[in-house]
Amino acid sequence: MSNTLQPAVHFSNSTPLNSDTRTMSADEKKPFDVYYDGILKAQNDNSVLIIDVREKEEIDETGKLPGSIHIPMGEVANTLLSLSEKDFKDKFNKSKPSKDTKIILSCRSGKRSGMVQEEIQKLGYENAYNYVGGWLDWESNQKT
């Protein structure tokens, strides 16, 4: 009798749920990508916070994305969670984002900013976007 109970009724029920969840989150990420035109619009929208997550040495070499603030990749989550609104404003001259604020993350090519995007979305910043091309895309579009 125990053999008839073992065929994975629970596994078959849980596997589709897990795959559905993964599929949904993968689908949800696609609209959270921003490209050059989106960055141009965001730079003129004070309600959007653009964060350049590259390292200080990279920023020193190229400058940061116009209209952005600089928070190194490894410090973004902690900065968003731990700085008071006043300290955030004093440090970055921008209002601290709420969980509803549209945040666009950028790095050199979009890989690191994509990782930060996932990290802060898990913290409840559901309007976190990734500038897919990053600084390289910005620079190439500025030259044309």
Side-chain angles (χ1 to χ4, degrees), residues 83-137:
L83 281 187
S84 69
E85 290 189 32
K86 181 187 183 316
D87 289 345
F88 193 96
K89 180 84 169 170
D90 289 348
K91 185 169 184 171
F92 301 109
N93 200 28
K94 298 262 186 184
S95 297
K96 181 179 176 179
S98 71
K99 301 266 174 137
D100 297 328
T101 302
K102 181 175 181 176
I103 300 171
I104 300 176
L105 301 148
S106 177
C107 64
R108 182 175 174 271
S109 66
K111 284 190 172 69
R112 289 175 286 174
S113 51
M115 294 190 302
V116 175
Q117 173 194 23
E118 284 185 38
E119 181 182 16
I120 69 171
Q121 281 177 335
K122 289 176 187 168
L123 297 174
Y125 293 91
E126 294 178 6
N127 285 326
Y129 290 73
N130 181 32
Y131 178 20
V132 175
W135 180 263
L136 294 176
D137 182 65

Short mmCIF file of all heavy atoms in Angstrom, two decimals, residues 83-137:
data_model
loop_
_atom_site.label_atom_id
_atom_site.label_comp_id
_atom_site.label_asym_id
_atom_site.label_seq_id
_atom_site.Cartn_x
_atom_site.Cartn_y
_atom_site.Cartn_z
N LEU A 83 19.96 54.41 5.48
CA LEU A 83 20.05 55.88 5.58
C LEU A 83 18.68 56.48 5.86
O LEU A 83 17.69 56.08 5.26
CB LEU A 83 20.60 56.49 4.29
CG LEU A 83 22.10 56.45 4.04
CD1 LEU A 83 22.45 57.25 2.79
CD2 LEU A 83 22.91 56.96 5.22
N SER A 84 18.66 57.45 6.76
CA SER A 84 17.41 58.18 7.00
C SER A 84 17.14 59.06 5.78
O SER A 84 18.03 59.29 4.96
CB SER A 84 17.55 59.05 8.25
OG SER A 84 18.45 60.12 7.99
N GLU A 85 15.92 59.57 5.71
CA GLU A 85 15.59 60.45 4.58
C GLU A 85 16.50 61.68 4.57
O GLU A 85 16.98 62.09 3.51
CB GLU A 85 14.11 60.86 4.65
CG GLU A 85 13.19 59.69 4.35
CD GLU A 85 11.74 60.09 4.19
OE1 GLU A 85 11.48 61.22 3.71
OE2 GLU A 85 10.88 59.27 4.51
N LYS A 86 16.77 62.23 5.75
CA LYS A 86 17.62 63.41 5.84
C LYS A 86 19.06 63.08 5.41
O LYS A 86 19.66 63.81 4.62
CB LYS A 86 17.62 63.96 7.26
CG LYS A 86 18.49 65.20 7.43
CD LYS A 86 18.61 65.62 8.89
CE LYS A 86 19.40 66.89 9.10
NZ LYS A 86 20.64 67.01 8.33
N ASP A 87 19.61 61.98 5.91
CA ASP A 87 20.98 61.60 5.55
C ASP A 87 21.11 61.30 4.06
O ASP A 87 22.11 61.66 3.42
CB ASP A 87 21.45 60.39 6.37
CG ASP A 87 21.68 60.74 7.83
OD1 ASP A 87 21.77 61.95 8.16
OD2 ASP A 87 21.77 59.80 8.66
N PHE A 88 20.09 60.67 3.49
CA PHE A 88 20.09 60.38 2.05
C PHE A 88 20.12 61.69 1.26
O PHE A 88 20.92 61.87 0.35
CB PHE A 88 18.88 59.53 1.66
CG PHE A 88 18.97 58.93 0.29
CD1 PHE A 88 19.45 57.64 0.12
CD2 PHE A 88 18.58 59.65 -0.84
CE1 PHE A 88 19.53 57.07 -1.15
CE2 PHE A 88 18.67 59.10 -2.10
CZ PHE A 88 19.15 57.80 -2.26
N LYS A 89 19.24 62.61 1.65
CA LYS A 89 19.15 63.92 0.97
C LYS A 89 20.47 64.69 1.12
O LYS A 89 20.96 65.27 0.15
CB LYS A 89 17.98 64.72 1.57
CG LYS A 89 17.78 66.08 0.96
CD LYS A 89 16.97 66.00 -0.29
CE LYS A 89 16.55 67.39 -0.74
NZ LYS A 89 15.96 67.40 -2.05
N ASP A 90 21.06 64.67 2.32
CA ASP A 90 22.33 65.37 2.55
C ASP A 90 23.45 64.77 1.70
O ASP A 90 24.28 65.50 1.16
CB ASP A 90 22.73 65.29 4.03
CG ASP A 90 21.82 66.15 4.93
OD1 ASP A 90 21.04 66.96 4.38
OD2 ASP A 90 21.90 65.97 6.15
N LYS A 91 23.47 63.46 1.58
CA LYS A 91 24.57 62.79 0.88
C LYS A 91 24.42 62.88 -0.65
O LYS A 91 25.41 63.08 -1.35
CB LYS A 91 24.63 61.32 1.30
CG LYS A 91 25.80 60.56 0.71
CD LYS A 91 25.97 59.21 1.36
CE LYS A 91 27.22 58.55 0.78
NZ LYS A 91 27.58 57.33 1.50
N PHE A 92 23.20 62.74 -1.15
CA PHE A 92 23.00 62.63 -2.61
C PHE A 92 22.25 63.81 -3.23
O PHE A 92 22.09 63.87 -4.45
CB PHE A 92 22.25 61.34 -2.94
CG PHE A 92 22.96 60.10 -2.48
CD1 PHE A 92 22.48 59.35 -1.42
CD2 PHE A 92 24.14 59.69 -3.11
CE1 PHE A 92 23.15 58.21 -1.00
CE2 PHE A 92 24.80 58.55 -2.70
CZ PHE A 92 24.31 57.81 -1.63
N ASN A 93 21.75 64.73 -2.40
CA ASN A 93 20.96 65.86 -2.88
C ASN A 93 19.74 65.41 -3.68
O ASN A 93 19.33 66.05 -4.64
CB ASN A 93 21.83 66.83 -3.69
CG ASN A 93 21.20 68.21 -3.79
OD1 ASN A 93 20.45 68.61 -2.90
ND2 ASN A 93 21.48 68.91 -4.86
N LYS A 94 19.20 64.27 -3.30
CA LYS A 94 17.97 63.71 -3.90
C LYS A 94 17.14 63.15 -2.76
O LYS A 94 17.68 62.74 -1.73
CB LYS A 94 18.29 62.56 -4.87
CG LYS A 94 19.14 62.94 -6.06
CD LYS A 94 18.29 63.18 -7.27
CE LYS A 94 19.17 63.43 -8.48
NZ LYS A 94 18.44 63.75 -9.64
N SER A 95 15.83 63.08 -2.97
CA SER A 95 14.97 62.47 -1.96
C SER A 95 15.21 60.97 -1.91
O SER A 95 15.42 60.33 -2.94
CB SER A 95 13.50 62.72 -2.30
OG SER A 95 13.24 64.11 -2.26
N LYS A 96 15.15 60.44 -0.69
CA LYS A 96 15.30 58.99 -0.54
C LYS A 96 14.10 58.31 -1.19
O LYS A 96 12.95 58.72 -0.99
CB LYS A 96 15.36 58.62 0.95
CG LYS A 96 15.52 57.14 1.18
CD LYS A 96 15.62 56.80 2.66
CE LYS A 96 15.69 55.29 2.84
NZ LYS A 96 15.80 54.93 4.25
N PRO A 97 14.36 57.28 -2.00
CA PRO A 97 13.24 56.63 -2.69
C PRO A 97 12.36 55.83 -1.73
O PRO A 97 12.86 55.22 -0.78
CB PRO A 97 13.94 55.70 -3.68
CG PRO A 97 15.25 55.40 -3.06
CD PRO A 97 15.63 56.65 -2.32
N SER A 98 11.08 55.86 -1.98
CA SER A 98 10.16 54.98 -1.26
C SER A 98 10.14 53.65 -2.02
O SER A 98 10.75 53.53 -3.08
CB SER A 98 8.75 55.58 -1.23
OG SER A 98 8.18 55.51 -2.53
N LYS A 99 9.43 52.69 -1.49
CA LYS A 99 9.34 51.38 -2.16
C LYS A 99 8.61 51.51 -3.50
O LYS A 99 8.73 50.65 -4.36
CB LYS A 99 8.64 50.36 -1.27
CG LYS A 99 9.34 50.14 0.06
CD LYS A 99 10.29 48.98 0.03
CE LYS A 99 11.06 48.88 1.33
NZ LYS A 99 11.20 47.57 1.85
N ASP A 100 7.85 52.60 -3.70
CA ASP A 100 7.11 52.81 -4.95
C ASP A 100 7.88 53.64 -5.98
O ASP A 100 7.45 53.74 -7.13
CB ASP A 100 5.78 53.51 -4.66
CG ASP A 100 4.87 52.66 -3.80
OD1 ASP A 100 4.92 51.42 -3.92
OD2 ASP A 100 4.10 53.23 -3.00
N THR A 101 8.96 54.27 -5.57
CA THR A 101 9.72 55.14 -6.48
C THR A 101 10.30 54.33 -7.64
O THR A 101 10.80 53.22 -7.44
CB THR A 101 10.88 55.82 -5.70
OG1 THR A 101 10.35 56.58 -4.62
CG2 THR A 101 11.70 56.73 -6.62
N LYS A 102 10.23 54.91 -8.82
CA LYS A 102 10.89 54.27 -9.96
C LYS A 102 12.40 54.52 -9.82
O LYS A 102 12.85 55.66 -9.73
CB LYS A 102 10.39 54.85 -11.29
CG LYS A 102 11.04 54.18 -12.50
CD LYS A 102 10.43 54.67 -13.81
CE LYS A 102 11.06 53.97 -15.00
NZ LYS A 102 10.44 54.35 -16.26
N ILE A 103 13.16 53.42 -9.76
CA ILE A 103 14.60 53.48 -9.64
C ILE A 103 15.19 52.81 -10.88
O ILE A 103 14.79 51.71 -11.23
CB ILE A 103 15.09 52.73 -8.38
CG1 ILE A 103 14.49 53.34 -7.12
CG2 ILE A 103 16.62 52.73 -8.31
CD1 ILE A 103 14.75 52.54 -5.85
N ILE A 104 16.12 53.51 -11.55
CA ILE A 104 16.83 52.91 -12.68
C ILE A 104 18.27 52.71 -12.27
O ILE A 104 18.93 53.65 -11.83
CB ILE A 104 16.74 53.80 -13.94
CG1 ILE A 104 15.27 54.00 -14.35
CG2 ILE A 104 17.54 53.17 -15.08
CD1 ILE A 104 15.08 54.94 -15.53
N LEU A 105 18.74 51.49 -12.42
CA LEU A 105 20.11 51.14 -12.05
C LEU A 105 20.95 51.01 -13.31
O LEU A 105 20.49 50.49 -14.33
CB LEU A 105 20.10 49.82 -11.28
CG LEU A 105 19.26 49.91 -10.01
CD1 LEU A 105 18.64 48.58 -9.68
CD2 LEU A 105 20.09 50.42 -8.85
N SER A 106 22.18 51.50 -13.23
CA SER A 106 23.07 51.45 -14.38
C SER A 106 24.48 51.07 -13.92
O SER A 106 24.89 51.42 -12.82
CB SER A 106 23.10 52.82 -15.06
OG SER A 106 24.01 52.81 -16.14
N CYS A 107 25.20 50.36 -14.79
CA CYS A 107 26.61 50.07 -14.55
C CYS A 107 27.34 50.23 -15.89
O CYS A 107 26.91 51.03 -16.72
CB CYS A 107 26.80 48.67 -13.96
SG CYS A 107 26.29 47.32 -15.05
N ARG A 108 28.37 49.49 -16.13
CA ARG A 108 29.11 49.62 -17.38
C ARG A 108 28.33 49.03 -18.56
O ARG A 108 28.20 49.65 -19.60
CB ARG A 108 30.47 48.94 -17.25
CG ARG A 108 31.34 49.05 -18.48
CD ARG A 108 32.74 48.45 -18.23
NE ARG A 108 33.50 48.44 -19.46
CZ ARG A 108 33.49 47.44 -20.34
NH1 ARG A 108 32.74 46.37 -20.11
NH2 ARG A 108 34.20 47.50 -21.44
N SER A 109 27.79 47.81 -18.36
CA SER A 109 27.13 47.14 -19.47
C SER A 109 25.73 46.61 -19.15
O SER A 109 25.05 46.11 -20.02
CB SER A 109 27.98 45.96 -19.95
OG SER A 109 28.04 44.97 -18.94
N GLY A 110 25.31 46.70 -17.90
CA GLY A 110 23.98 46.24 -17.51
C GLY A 110 23.97 44.96 -16.69
O GLY A 110 22.93 44.58 -16.16
N LYS A 111 25.10 44.29 -16.55
CA LYS A 111 25.14 43.03 -15.79
C LYS A 111 25.06 43.28 -14.28
O LYS A 111 24.21 42.72 -13.59
CB LYS A 111 26.40 42.24 -16.12
CG LYS A 111 26.35 41.56 -17.47
CD LYS A 111 27.51 40.60 -17.63
CE LYS A 111 27.39 39.77 -18.87
NZ LYS A 111 27.55 40.49 -20.11
N ARG A 112 25.95 44.10 -13.76
CA ARG A 112 25.95 44.35 -12.32
C ARG A 112 24.68 45.06 -11.88
O ARG A 112 24.09 44.74 -10.85
CB ARG A 112 27.18 45.18 -11.92
CG ARG A 112 28.48 44.40 -12.00
CD ARG A 112 29.66 45.28 -11.72
NE ARG A 112 29.91 46.15 -12.87
CZ ARG A 112 30.81 47.11 -12.90
NH1 ARG A 112 31.54 47.38 -11.84
NH2 ARG A 112 31.00 47.83 -13.98
N SER A 113 24.23 46.02 -12.68
CA SER A 113 22.99 46.73 -12.32
C SER A 113 21.80 45.78 -12.32
O SER A 113 20.88 45.93 -11.53
CB SER A 113 22.76 47.93 -13.23
OG SER A 113 22.84 47.58 -14.59
N GLY A 114 21.83 44.77 -13.18
CA GLY A 114 20.78 43.75 -13.20
C GLY A 114 20.76 42.94 -11.91
O GLY A 114 19.71 42.59 -11.39
N MET A 115 21.95 42.66 -11.38
CA MET A 115 22.04 41.92 -10.12
C MET A 115 21.53 42.77 -8.96
O MET A 115 20.80 42.29 -8.09
CB MET A 115 23.48 41.46 -9.85
CG MET A 115 23.94 40.42 -10.87
SD MET A 115 25.51 39.60 -10.49
CE MET A 115 26.65 40.94 -10.37
N VAL A 116 21.87 44.06 -8.97
CA VAL A 116 21.38 44.97 -7.92
C VAL A 116 19.86 45.13 -8.06
O VAL A 116 19.15 45.15 -7.05
CB VAL A 116 22.09 46.35 -7.99
CG1 VAL A 116 21.49 47.32 -6.99
CG2 VAL A 116 23.58 46.19 -7.77
N GLN A 117 19.37 45.18 -9.28
CA GLN A 117 17.93 45.28 -9.52
C GLN A 117 17.21 44.12 -8.84
O GLN A 117 16.23 44.33 -8.11
CB GLN A 117 17.65 45.27 -11.02
CG GLN A 117 16.18 45.20 -11.38
CD GLN A 117 15.94 44.85 -12.83
OE1 GLN A 117 16.79 44.25 -13.49
NE2 GLN A 117 14.79 45.22 -13.34
N GLU A 118 17.68 42.91 -9.07
CA GLU A 118 17.05 41.73 -8.45
C GLU A 118 17.12 41.83 -6.93
O GLU A 118 16.14 41.54 -6.24
CB GLU A 118 17.75 40.45 -8.90
CG GLU A 118 17.38 40.03 -10.30
CD GLU A 118 18.00 38.70 -10.67
OE1 GLU A 118 18.07 37.80 -9.81
OE2 GLU A 118 18.41 38.55 -11.84
N GLU A 119 18.26 42.24 -6.41
CA GLU A 119 18.45 42.34 -4.96
C GLU A 119 17.47 43.32 -4.33
O GLU A 119 16.82 42.99 -3.33
CB GLU A 119 19.89 42.77 -4.67
CG GLU A 119 20.22 42.87 -3.19
CD GLU A 119 21.64 43.36 -2.93
OE1 GLU A 119 22.29 43.91 -3.85
OE2 GLU A 119 22.08 43.20 -1.79
N ILE A 120 17.33 44.50 -4.91
CA ILE A 120 16.45 45.49 -4.27
C ILE A 120 14.97 45.20 -4.55
O ILE A 120 14.12 45.58 -3.75
CB ILE A 120 16.84 46.96 -4.58
CG1 ILE A 120 16.59 47.34 -6.02
CG2 ILE A 120 18.29 47.22 -4.16
CD1 ILE A 120 16.75 48.83 -6.29
N GLN A 121 14.66 44.51 -5.65
CA GLN A 121 13.28 44.09 -5.86
C GLN A 121 12.85 43.13 -4.74
O GLN A 121 11.74 43.21 -4.25
CB GLN A 121 13.10 43.43 -7.23
CG GLN A 121 13.01 44.42 -8.36
CD GLN A 121 12.90 43.77 -9.73
OE1 GLN A 121 13.34 42.64 -9.93
NE2 GLN A 121 12.35 44.48 -10.68
N LYS A 122 13.76 42.26 -4.33
CA LYS A 122 13.46 41.33 -3.23
C LYS A 122 13.25 42.09 -1.92
O LYS A 122 12.56 41.59 -1.03
CB LYS A 122 14.59 40.31 -3.07
CG LYS A 122 14.64 39.29 -4.19
CD LYS A 122 15.83 38.37 -4.03
CE LYS A 122 15.97 37.47 -5.25
NZ LYS A 122 17.26 36.76 -5.25
N LEU A 123 13.82 43.28 -1.81
CA LEU A 123 13.65 44.09 -0.60
C LEU A 123 12.37 44.93 -0.66
O LEU A 123 12.08 45.69 0.26
CB LEU A 123 14.86 45.02 -0.42
CG LEU A 123 16.20 44.34 -0.18
CD1 LEU A 123 17.32 45.37 -0.16
CD2 LEU A 123 16.18 43.53 1.11
N GLY A 124 11.62 44.82 -1.75
CA GLY A 124 10.35 45.52 -1.86
C GLY A 124 10.35 46.71 -2.80
O GLY A 124 9.33 47.35 -3.01
N TYR A 125 11.50 47.02 -3.40
CA TYR A 125 11.56 48.12 -4.39
C TYR A 125 11.14 47.54 -5.74
O TYR A 125 11.97 47.21 -6.58
CB TYR A 125 12.97 48.73 -4.43
CG TYR A 125 13.33 49.45 -3.16
CD1 TYR A 125 13.96 48.80 -2.11
CD2 TYR A 125 13.00 50.80 -3.00
CE1 TYR A 125 14.27 49.46 -0.93
CE2 TYR A 125 13.31 51.47 -1.82
CZ TYR A 125 13.94 50.79 -0.79
OH TYR A 125 14.24 51.46 0.36
N GLU A 126 9.83 47.41 -5.90
CA GLU A 126 9.30 46.70 -7.05
C GLU A 126 9.40 47.48 -8.36
O GLU A 126 9.24 46.92 -9.43
CB GLU A 126 7.85 46.29 -6.78
CG GLU A 126 7.76 45.27 -5.65
CD GLU A 126 6.34 44.88 -5.31
OE1 GLU A 126 5.41 45.32 -6.02
OE2 GLU A 126 6.18 44.14 -4.32
N ASN A 127 9.65 48.77 -8.27
CA ASN A 127 9.81 49.59 -9.48
C ASN A 127 11.28 49.82 -9.82
O ASN A 127 11.65 50.89 -10.29
CB ASN A 127 9.10 50.94 -9.31
CG ASN A 127 7.60 50.81 -9.44
OD1 ASN A 127 7.11 49.99 -10.20
ND2 ASN A 127 6.87 51.59 -8.67
N ALA A 128 12.10 48.81 -9.56
CA ALA A 128 13.53 48.90 -9.89
C ALA A 128 13.72 48.42 -11.32
O ALA A 128 13.29 47.34 -11.70
CB ALA A 128 14.35 48.05 -8.93
N TYR A 129 14.37 49.26 -12.12
CA TYR A 129 14.61 48.97 -13.54
C TYR A 129 16.11 48.87 -13.78
O TYR A 129 16.91 49.42 -13.04
CB TYR A 129 14.05 50.11 -14.41
CG TYR A 129 12.54 50.16 -14.44
CD1 TYR A 129 11.81 50.61 -13.34
CD2 TYR A 129 11.84 49.76 -15.57
CE1 TYR A 129 10.43 50.66 -13.36
CE2 TYR A 129 10.46 49.80 -15.60
CZ TYR A 129 9.77 50.25 -14.50
OH TYR A 129 8.39 50.29 -14.53
N ASN A 130 16.47 48.17 -14.84
CA ASN A 130 17.86 48.02 -15.22
C ASN A 130 18.11 48.67 -16.58
O ASN A 130 17.41 48.37 -17.54
CB ASN A 130 18.24 46.53 -15.29
CG ASN A 130 19.69 46.32 -15.64
OD1 ASN A 130 20.56 47.12 -15.30
ND2 ASN A 130 19.96 45.24 -16.34
N TYR A 131 19.08 49.58 -16.62
CA TYR A 131 19.49 50.17 -17.91
C TYR A 131 20.38 49.13 -18.57
O TYR A 131 21.54 48.97 -18.24
CB TYR A 131 20.22 51.48 -17.67
CG TYR A 131 20.73 52.16 -18.94
CD1 TYR A 131 20.22 51.88 -20.20
CD2 TYR A 131 21.75 53.10 -18.85
CE1 TYR A 131 20.68 52.51 -21.33
CE2 TYR A 131 22.23 53.75 -19.99
CZ TYR A 131 21.69 53.45 -21.22
OH TYR A 131 22.16 54.07 -22.34
N VAL A 132 19.80 48.41 -19.53
CA VAL A 132 20.41 47.22 -20.11
C VAL A 132 21.78 47.48 -20.72
O VAL A 132 22.71 46.73 -20.51
CB VAL A 132 19.45 46.58 -21.15
CG1 VAL A 132 20.10 45.42 -21.85
CG2 VAL A 132 18.17 46.14 -20.46
N GLY A 133 21.96 48.56 -21.44
CA GLY A 133 23.24 48.80 -22.09
C GLY A 133 24.27 49.48 -21.21
O GLY A 133 25.46 49.48 -21.50
N GLY A 134 23.80 50.10 -20.14
CA GLY A 134 24.69 50.77 -19.21
C GLY A 134 25.51 51.88 -19.84
O GLY A 134 25.14 52.46 -20.87
N TRP A 135 26.63 52.17 -19.20
CA TRP A 135 27.50 53.27 -19.64
C TRP A 135 27.95 53.09 -21.09
O TRP A 135 28.04 54.05 -21.84
CB TRP A 135 28.71 53.41 -18.71
CG TRP A 135 29.59 54.53 -19.16
CD1 TRP A 135 30.72 54.44 -19.92
CD2 TRP A 135 29.39 55.93 -18.94
NE1 TRP A 135 31.23 55.69 -20.17
CE2 TRP A 135 30.43 56.63 -19.57
CE3 TRP A 135 28.41 56.65 -18.25
CZ2 TRP A 135 30.54 58.01 -19.54
CZ3 TRP A 135 28.53 58.03 -18.22
CH2 TRP A 135 29.58 58.69 -18.86
N LEU A 136 28.24 51.85 -21.49
CA LEU A 136 28.71 51.62 -22.86
C LEU A 136 27.65 52.05 -23.87
O LEU A 136 27.97 52.67 -24.89
CB LEU A 136 29.07 50.14 -23.06
CG LEU A 136 30.26 49.63 -22.26
CD1 LEU A 136 30.43 48.13 -22.48
CD2 LEU A 136 31.53 50.39 -22.61
N ASP A 137 26.38 51.74 -23.59
CA ASP A 137 25.30 52.14 -24.47
C ASP A 137 25.14 53.66 -24.46
O ASP A 137 24.96 54.29 -25.50
CB ASP A 137 24.00 51.46 -24.03
CG ASP A 137 22.82 51.80 -24.93
OD1 ASP A 137 22.85 51.41 -26.11
OD2 ASP A 137 21.88 52.48 -24.45
#
